[in-house]
Amino acid sequence: MYIKENPHDIVHHLEYNAERPHLIIPEYGRHLQKLIDQATVIEDKNERNKAAKYIIAVMGSLNPHLRDVPDFQHKLWDQIFIMSDFKLDVDSPYPVPSREMLQQKPDRLKYPQNFPKYRFYGNNIKYMIDVANKWEEGELKSALIKVIANHMKKSYLSWNKDTVKDDVIFEHLYELSNGRINLKASSEELLNSTDLMRTNKKMSNKNQPLPQKAKPKNNNGKQNNQNKNNNRKP
């Protein structure tokens, strides 16, 4: 039997979002939030446990590929307690989170504050020099020092597009190593500046976007029109 409803009663029972309670985790929607609110006020604990497990199954069905993963199950149980505003009293297979734990802020990260004297070398060069200082004297250390010096020269040329003498690099290396690496009196020769600048140029060209090829102009239409005009009889 059809019962005609009063339009005034229908409008009176409408719910507006401005009047609804705030959703703690909006991704699950308001219906799931209402299920959790209903489970919170159930008096019998066994029934609350059944309702909580049912809600966990519904939450897991939203991500079926993660439903049976143990870590994901732990996350779902944490979320159900958070969405209940920590009022849900059920037996959880995982430690129950607290409000203080949720509001706890992580420790501030200590970012390295390095202010090198020669910034064009970068911090990695200083790290490599510190590592070389810890190595024992030998062929490996000599090879590493040579690699560092050549890389310093390459970095210098990328900053200063002019040539640079090896004596300048050796002086900087001596200063950055606190006098422990001294190549100023050696006959060691670094890579040629021209080759290093050519390498830097190749690397800079690789990082630049490729130019777009211009589309050829289509003059076929004009040529066809000219041919038609030439073929006309006088």
Side-chain angles (χ1 to χ4, degrees):
M1 180 179 179
Y2 174 74
I3 301 176
K4 186 177 182 180
E5 297 181 356
N6 189 354
H8 177 74
D9 295 339
I10 297 176
V11 175
H12 181 72
H13 290 91
L14 284 177
E15 291 184 351
Y16 296 94
N17 286 333
E19 299 175 352
R20 290 175 174 176
H22 174 69
L23 290 177
I24 301 176
I25 304 181
E27 289 80 0
Y28 287 108
R30 190 166 297 277
H31 293 295
L32 192 64
Q33 181 67 53
K34 288 183 177 181
L35 287 176
I36 296 175
D37 295 340
Q38 293 174 4
T40 304
V41 297
I42 296 176
E43 296 181 358
D44 185 62
K45 190 170 184 179
N46 293 328
E47 295 297 328
R48 283 201 308 271
N49 288 330
K50 292 180 181 179
K53 292 180 181 179
Y54 170 77
I55 295 172
I56 290 293
V58 174
M59 294 169 65
S61 63
L62 300 177
N63 298 282
H65 60 289
L66 298 173
R67 182 171 49 192
D68 299 327
V69 178
D71 293 340
F72 188 68
Q73 286 287 320
H74 191 178
K75 179 180 179 181
L76 293 180
W77 278 98
D78 288 345
Q79 289 178 340
I80 194 174
F81 286 113
I82 294 172
M83 293 175 68
S84 68
D85 197 19
F86 303 97
K87 298 177 182 178
L88 184 61
D89 183 15
V90 294
D91 297 330
S92 172
Y94 305 98
V96 180
S98 61
R99 191 186 305 274
E100 292 75 15
M101 185 187 300
L102 182 64
Q103 296 176 351
Q104 185 178 3
K105 295 182 180 180
D107 297 334
R108 187 172 182 179
L109 292 176
K110 295 181 179 179
Y111 290 96
Q113 299 294 335
N114 296 326
F115 302 98
K117 182 177 181 180
Y118 305 107
R119 293 189 176 184
F120 45 85
Y121 290 135
N123 292 324
N124 291 333
I125 286 292
K126 186 63 174 67
Y127 296 151
M128 294 172 66
I129 293 173
D130 295 339
V131 171
N133 286 334
K134 298 178 182 178
W135 284 15
E136 297 180 357
E137 298 295 334
E139 295 182 358
L140 288 177
K141 183 175 181 179
S142 300
L144 177 60
I145 292 173
K146 186 175 181 181
V147 170
I148 293 173
N150 282 309
H151 194 73
M152 289 174 64
K153 187 174 183 179
K154 180 181 177 182
S155 300
Y156 189 98
L157 291 172
S158 64
W159 168 72
N160 185 6
K161 300 301 181 181
D162 200 357
T163 183
V164 58
K165 295 182 178 180
D166 293 348
D167 297 340
V168 177
I169 302 299
F170 295 155
E171 182 67 30
H172 291 172
L173 181 59
Y174 179 81
E175 184 178 354
L176 293 175
S177 64
N178 298 323
R180 299 180 63 180
I181 299 177
N182 188 0
L183 298 179
K184 294 188 290 185
S186 67
S187 59
E188 186 73 33
E189 292 184 2
L190 301 179
L191 296 177
N192 187 272
S193 299
T194 305
D195 297 336
L196 291 174
M197 292 180 67
R198 188 181 297 112
T199 303
N200 290 338
K201 187 176 181 181
K202 289 181 179 179
M203 295 300 296
S204 61
N205 291 336
K206 287 183 179 179
N207 296 330
Q208 293 179 358
L210 295 175
Q212 296 182 356
K213 295 182 179 180
K215 295 182 179 180
K217 295 182 179 180
N218 188 6
N219 296 325
N220 294 332
K222 294 183 179 180
Q223 293 178 359
N224 292 335
N225 292 333
Q226 292 177 358
N227 293 333
K228 290 180 179 180
N229 294 333
N230 293 333
N231 295 331
R232 288 182 180 178
K233 295 182 180 180

